Amino acid sequence: MQAKTRSQHKSELLVVVIALLAFLVGLVGHLAGASIANSDSFGYIAAPVPLIVGLIAVVAYKIAEHGDH
């Protein structure tokens, strides 16, 4: 079993931070979509959330792939 390199630790930390960011974006989108106020402005907030979370996932994947070497 090999010890992790410094870049692998850094990559893991970045992926965890990005996962927290994705969680927060999803939470804001969920709250905006489930709002009782039923305002159009909440729809504008909630609509792009899947795209944003998908882009965050791609960035996290690229960082994890780069740190795996």
Side-chain angles (χ1 to χ4, degrees):
M1 190 168 182
Q2 295 177 335
K4 293 181 183 176
T5 64
R6 187 175 184 99
S7 72
Q8 286 174 330
H9 281 293
K10 185 178 179 183
S11 295
E12 286 179 359
L13 184 61
L14 278 172
V15 170
V16 168
V17 168
I18 290 172
L20 288 172
L21 176 67
F23 173 75
L24 290 175
V25 168
L27 181 66
V28 168
H30 173 73
L31 292 175
S35 175
I36 297 172
N38 198 15
S39 173
D40 287 341
S41 60
F42 289 115
Y44 292 130
I45 294 170
V49 167
L51 175 66
I52 294 169
V53 170
L55 292 174
I56 291 171
V58 169
V59 169
Y61 176 78
K62 294 294 183 183
I63 289 173
E65 182 182 36
H66 178 69
D68 220 12
H69 297 166

